[in-house]
Amino acid sequence: MKNNKKSSGFLTALKIIMLVLTAVYPLVMVTLSGAGLVYNHESYGSELTAVGVLLIISGAAMVLGALLCLFRKTIPDIISVICSGGGLALCLAMLYKLADHADRAGWTNAYTLMPISDMYKSRIMPAIAPAAIAVIIALIQLFSYEASEERRLRRQKKLEKENAEAPKIIEQEDS
């Protein structure tokens, strides 16, 4: 029982860290980077506008994945893994396209003359941490002893209900 409380405290702390990181990186950095590309679509063109829309979608997916892993339920945990992992994969693919475009176009910071692609990478790459933490939390909860016991009990109750004797429709009188 004491070990269960320690692991529960660890998961709670991990969830708090994940939520803070999710608020900063996928929600603010990724989504607002995408919103900036969409907002300035006249300057960037349709290709980067599409990248911006997909960055917003990936940020929203990672936020949804983080929120869903807060519940200790099987279906939300499965959806959390899909949203967090898929959102992160989409985010990194769009970051690659954005950085590649910025490097090919020769975009640099006017003050430091550093490539703009480095700025995008430094703002968006840390989104890996909260997405990975969300996946780890969801997987821990999915494969925990408590979750497997809960699923076993649900299957057992369903089986008992299916094998239960059917109620009699017509009562027979004894003669």
Side-chain angles (χ1 to χ4, degrees):
M1 185 76 150
K2 192 173 185 180
N3 189 18
N4 188 21
K5 286 192 179 231
K6 280 185 182 179
S7 67
S8 178
F10 173 74
L11 274 181
T12 302
L14 205 55
K15 287 178 183 180
I16 291 169
I17 292 167
M18 177 207 54
L19 285 175
V20 170
L21 291 175
T22 298
V24 173
Y25 293 106
L27 185 61
V28 173
M29 294 298 186
V30 173
T31 306
L32 290 182
S33 293
L37 292 171
V38 171
Y39 182 76
N40 296 309
H41 63 91
E42 294 96 13
S43 303
Y44 294 132
S46 63
E47 181 184 347
L48 286 187
T49 302
V51 168
V53 169
L54 292 173
L55 277 173
I56 293 169
I57 291 169
S58 70
M62 288 187 283
V63 169
L64 179 64
L67 293 175
L68 287 174
C69 81
L70 296 176
F71 310 106
R72 290 181 155 257
K73 300 289 181 192
T74 301
I75 300 299
D77 282 338
I78 292 170
I79 296 171
S80 174
V81 169
I82 293 167
C83 285
S84 295
L88 180 62
L90 180 61
C91 175
L92 294 177
M94 292 306 103
L95 174 61
Y96 175 78
K97 287 184 83 163
L98 181 59
D100 183 55
H101 181 85
D103 287 340
R104 281 188 286 116
W107 294 351
T108 58
N109 186 314
Y111 301 108
T112 63
L113 298 178
M114 296 294 294
I116 291 295
S117 61
D118 288 350
M119 178 200 67
Y120 280 123
K121 289 174 187 172
S122 68
R123 289 183 181 178
I124 295 175
M125 288 293 281
I128 293 171
I133 293 171
V135 168
I136 290 168
I137 290 171
L139 291 175
I140 287 172
Q141 291 176 167
L142 272 172
F143 296 111
S144 69
Y145 176 76
E146 293 85 12
S148 64
E149 278 299 304
E150 184 180 318
R151 288 189 294 269
R152 186 187 64 77
L153 288 173
R154 251 188 276 131
R155 282 191 304 266
Q156 185 178 357
K157 285 182 183 178
K158 182 179 177 184
L159 190 60
E160 288 172 0
K161 189 175 182 181
E162 288 175 358
N163 293 334
E165 188 175 317
K168 296 185 179 189
I169 298 173
I170 303 174
E171 290 192 34
Q172 297 177 357
E173 294 181 27
D174 290 331
S175 313

